[in-house]
Amino acid sequence: MNLSDKKATLSFSDGAAPIEFPVYKGTVGPDVIDIRKLYGQTGMFTFDPGFMSTAACESGITYIDGDKGELLYRGYPIEQLAVNCDFLDICYLILNGELPNQDQKTDFDSQVTNHTLVNEQLHFFLRGFRRDAHPMAVLTGLVGALSAFYHDSTDITNPQHRHISAIRLIAKMPTLVAMAYKYSVGQPFIYPQNDLSYTGNFLRMMFATPCEEYKVNEVVERALDRIFILHADHEQNASTSTVRLCGSSGTNPFAAISAGVACLWGPAHGGANEACLQMLEELQANGGVAKVGEFMEKVKDKNSGVRLMGFGHRVYKNYDPRAKLMQETCKEVLQSLGLENDPLFKLAMELERIALEDDYFVQRKLYPNVDFYSGIVQRAIGIPTSLFTAIFALARTVGWIAQWNEMLSDPDYKIGRPRQLFTGSVTRDVPSMDKR
């Protein structure tokens, strides 16, 4: 961290002496006030529900400027990365800080490819779930169970162990997601095939059967790869912070990532694209494009209880840069699969048109986010709605493991211990039974 020339002064209205705090500058973005000594000097905590104004860590992985609609992985704009790189390039970048050269890419791709197979006993573990279990429930269990199989790479103080764990998690997550899907539909598991790309291999494990050869559709492969890229990391969100907090106790990486999967399951986080598609399907069932205007009026009425999913973002106060890329990808996929007249896509376009023209949405900067189109793309590919969040988890694994590794490499790293403002009962005596 770079110390700023300026300092922050905290003064008190009761005449207590003011306290000075150092200010640190980031490479870009807001400066931070270092309040680590606040409690020791004042006996007080700060109060910040939702951590809206609190930086809990120092990181060099991902930067978001919500006002500009900017997303950078290791300094590279997402718009450039999504066009010029594949997902394993992004994995290497997020883990190592730089894009790979050809030799590094060949070696890294080979490492990931050769770790995609999972222990055969995991098949038996999976069969303990009900067939109709939600894929995220299954995935949470499967990822956590990996720690029971890979004892040789769980020394978190060893950088080599952390690297091996990172490779294993990135490599095995597509296999686990595909297994969860196959189990839910009663089809046999499809083993990885090492001559395919990371994303092509996942598509084959998802949709192939032993009955016939499966040919990967290049447009679909490229589209899903882009979805992976756009979801690879997103700064200190709820699930990433969960992975860091869980990992700060010294637990193994598989347990920490499993905690991230569980957090991502929430509809306010990873389940947002599932909720968006459900909204479009309900709107289509209730009149489709002809009813969009009426629907949007209900959205503007606070008393209607109608919510517009897939628009706006807690961070982005401008157009989500990932949404623009996802819209292009959506068009390519629908055209390739002969679904140009897909009613949900037409609905999405009309919703976007109104939102970008109506003063109500413009003033509130409610622009489409990445979830708005990614659900349509996955639906067109054949991925069931219940699996959308598992796909998100697959993509986000590299970000989680990089953030976890960065935390463990930080000399200032400590176990997470948030404070509270206690508003419960003061100390009191336990009454006897006849006085309760």
Side-chain angles (χ1 to χ4, degrees):
M1 293 189 292
N2 295 317
L3 188 64
S4 173
D5 294 332
K6 62 182 179 182
K7 293 184 178 181
T9 303
L10 176 64
S11 59
F12 303 89
S13 60
D14 63 358
I19 306 291
E20 276 196 347
F21 298 105
V23 175
Y24 288 95
K25 299 184 292 185
T27 311
V28 288
D31 296 343
V32 298
I33 301 169
D34 185 351
I35 60 167
R36 281 177 286 186
K37 295 182 179 179
L38 176 67
Y39 179 65
Q41 293 180 318
T42 69
M44 290 186 285
F45 304 135
T46 56
F47 185 63
D48 185 21
F51 307 106
M52 299 292 287
S53 300
T54 299
C57 66
E58 177 184 357
S59 182
I61 299 172
T62 302
Y63 175 73
I64 300 169
D65 188 321
D67 293 328
K68 293 181 181 178
E70 182 178 64
L71 171 61
L72 309 176
Y73 292 163
R74 300 288 191 178
Y76 295 105
I78 191 65
E79 296 91 337
Q80 296 179 27
L81 293 172
V83 172
N84 297 304
C85 302
D86 65 24
F87 180 61
L88 287 185
D89 289 332
I90 302 304
C91 289
Y92 186 96
L93 170 67
I94 288 175
L95 289 173
N96 299 290
E98 298 293 342
L99 287 165
N101 59 33
Q102 188 56 60
D103 289 342
Q104 290 167 334
K105 178 174 176 54
T106 300
D107 179 60
F108 183 77
D109 287 9
S110 176
Q111 286 184 52
V112 172
T113 299
N114 288 305
H115 278 90
T116 51
L117 199 64
V118 299
N119 192 294
E120 196 73 8
Q121 284 183 268
L122 278 169
H123 293 188
F124 301 103
F125 178 79
L126 180 56
R127 290 189 174 98
F129 290 96
R130 286 172 54 116
R131 291 275 182 188
D132 60 355
H134 194 286
M136 288 298 283
V138 175
L139 193 60
T140 302
L142 287 175
V143 175
L146 290 176
S147 58
F149 292 91
Y150 300 106
H151 306 293
D152 61 338
S153 62
T154 53
D155 179 1
I156 64 170
T157 64
N158 187 325
Q160 184 61 23
H161 279 212
R162 298 203 299 268
H163 172 74
I164 294 169
S165 294
I167 295 296
R168 282 175 168 160
L169 278 159
I170 293 166
K172 297 181 191 306
M173 191 63 81
T175 311
L176 297 179
V177 173
M179 284 170 60
Y181 170 67
K182 287 296 194 184
Y183 182 69
S184 71
V185 295
Q187 292 183 3
F189 302 131
I190 301 297
Y191 289 94
Q193 190 168 304
N194 289 351
D195 60 349
L196 294 175
S197 71
Y198 183 87
T199 305
N201 191 30
F202 174 65
L203 285 167
R204 180 179 174 275
M205 288 190 291
M206 280 283 293
F207 300 119
T209 68
C211 308
E212 57 188 5
E213 286 297 314
Y214 177 82
K215 182 173 176 57
V216 177
N217 181 312
E218 292 182 0
V219 175
V220 169
E221 179 182 12
R222 191 163 57 247
L224 192 57
D225 200 70
R226 179 168 288 186
I227 287 176
F228 292 165
I229 290 171
L230 299 181
H231 289 85
D233 195 53
H234 210 239
E235 215 187 74
Q236 304 308 313
N237 51 76
S239 59
T240 298
S241 298
T242 297
V243 170
R244 279 181 172 264
L245 188 60
C246 182
S248 73
S249 72
T251 190
N252 68 78
F254 306 107
I257 301 306
S258 180
V261 174
C263 180
L264 190 70
W265 191 356
H269 192 5
N273 56 5
E274 185 176 341
C276 182
L277 188 62
Q278 288 171 349
M279 175 196 72
L280 291 173
E281 289 174 340
E282 288 175 8
L283 184 53
Q284 177 62 25
N286 290 302
V289 172
K291 296 290 185 178
V292 169
E294 182 181 322
F295 173 79
M296 294 297 262
E297 289 302 316
K298 290 180 180 178
V299 170
K300 292 189 285 184
D301 180 0
K302 292 182 179 179
N303 298 318
S304 70
V306 176
R307 294 184 61 198
L308 179 61
M309 308 303 296
F311 282 75
H313 196 281
R314 180 170 171 177
V315 174
Y316 294 108
K317 305 308 176 188
N318 204 320
Y319 207 106
D320 183 341
R322 302 170 301 168
K324 295 178 182 179
L325 294 160
M326 207 67 252
Q327 185 195 53
E328 296 170 6
T329 298
C330 190
K331 290 178 180 177
E332 291 173 4
V333 169
L334 294 175
Q335 184 175 8
S336 171
L337 299 177
L339 299 172
E340 301 95 324
N341 296 318
D342 182 86
L344 293 193
F345 184 64
K346 288 185 175 181
L347 266 180
M349 293 296 290
E350 183 63 11
L351 285 171
E352 181 182 41
R353 184 191 67 78
I354 293 175
L356 294 179
E357 294 176 359
D358 191 305
D359 286 342
Y360 177 91
F361 299 101
V362 173
Q363 290 173 8
R364 289 165 175 76
K365 297 183 178 179
L366 294 175
Y367 301 107
N369 58 42
V370 69
D371 301 311
F372 188 61
Y373 289 107
S374 64
I376 300 173
V377 172
Q378 292 182 71
R379 174 178 173 272
I381 291 172
I383 296 170
T385 308
S386 62
L387 206 70
F388 286 1
T389 317
I391 300 291
F392 193 159
L394 189 169
R396 184 55 58 84
T397 294
V398 63
W400 288 333
I401 201 71
Q403 297 271 353
W404 169 82
N405 189 43
E406 182 181 64
M407 177 193 69
L408 293 176
S409 303
D410 187 343
D412 290 329
Y413 136 70
K414 296 178 177 64
I415 184 172
R417 181 61 172 86
R419 300 297 190 168
Q420 66 177 16
L421 173 64
F422 181 71
T423 55
S425 298
V426 296
T427 303
R428 51 183 175 167
D429 294 325
V430 178
S432 60
M433 182 62 73
D434 61 337
K435 293 181 180 179
R436 293 181 195 174

